[in-house]
Amino acid sequence: MRPSEPLVDLAGLLGERLEVATRRFKAAGVYRDQGEDRWVVCEGEGWSLRLRANRAHAESSMRVRSWTITFESGYPNLEAACAAVGIALTPSLDSSVTDHRSLRRPFPDPDSGRTHSLTGAIKNGAVQSVTGFDEPPDWLP
């Protein structure tokens, strides 16, 4: 893998049909239904991805509503972690790993024009996982 290539590409994943996402990540059938949600686990070299999908209404297809990627090795800041999964974030003053347990950022989707929520979880001084949600940030004023 060349340094400019992402570890895995999660861009455009929120709102994607579940069957398209599972083909994209070659999910090996690790599915679990819980209530109206379906959870799928996909794994690759150096990462593990959990997808949560559900239907907007009974006749619609299952769509990815959130994802969490966990890294075998962490990243020094949220931008670096997001770059590793094909998501470009504009630099922020609060993106460096600090004593906080998590980092939160708005996550613009250029394809849909919507703004999603993005969080990075910190462990042992590095961003160890990133989660994207298909809803706007509830922490913004």
Side-chain angles (χ1 to χ4, degrees):
M1 175 173 43
R2 289 174 289 172
S4 61
E5 291 180 0
L7 182 64
V8 62
D9 188 1
L10 302 183
L13 186 57
L14 292 173
E16 183 66 77
R17 289 191 337 263
L18 183 59
E19 62 270 14
V20 172
T22 55
R23 281 195 308 267
R24 181 173 167 181
F25 299 106
K26 299 172 182 65
V30 183
Y31 296 82
R32 180 177 56 117
D33 290 330
Q34 184 174 11
E36 295 180 4
D37 292 335
R38 174 164 292 161
W39 293 84
V40 179
V41 176
C42 309
E43 294 186 345
E45 189 174 330
W47 56 270
S48 175
L49 175 67
R50 285 182 1 153
L51 307 174
R52 181 183 62 86
N54 62 30
R55 301 175 195 279
H57 50 80
E59 295 80 34
S60 65
S61 59
M62 297 286 271
R63 300 270 177 177
V64 175
R65 303 303 178 189
S66 66
W67 50 257
T68 298
I69 187 157
T70 303
F71 306 108
E72 191 174 289
S73 300
Y75 289 88
N77 56 50
L78 191 56
E79 287 84 5
C82 287
V85 296
I87 296 170
L89 289 182
T90 54
S92 170
L93 295 176
D94 68 349
S95 66
S96 296
V97 173
T98 64
D99 292 336
H100 300 284
R101 292 181 152 192
S102 67
L103 301 165
R104 302 184 297 187
R105 293 282 297 280
F107 171 28
D109 181 349
D111 294 331
S112 70
R114 296 179 58 205
T115 299
H116 304 298
S117 300
L118 188 77
T119 60
I122 300 168
K123 184 177 179 184
N124 299 325
V127 177
Q128 293 292 325
S129 67
V130 176
T131 301
F133 301 95
D134 73 341
E135 51 198 42
D138 59 2
W139 64 86
L140 292 178

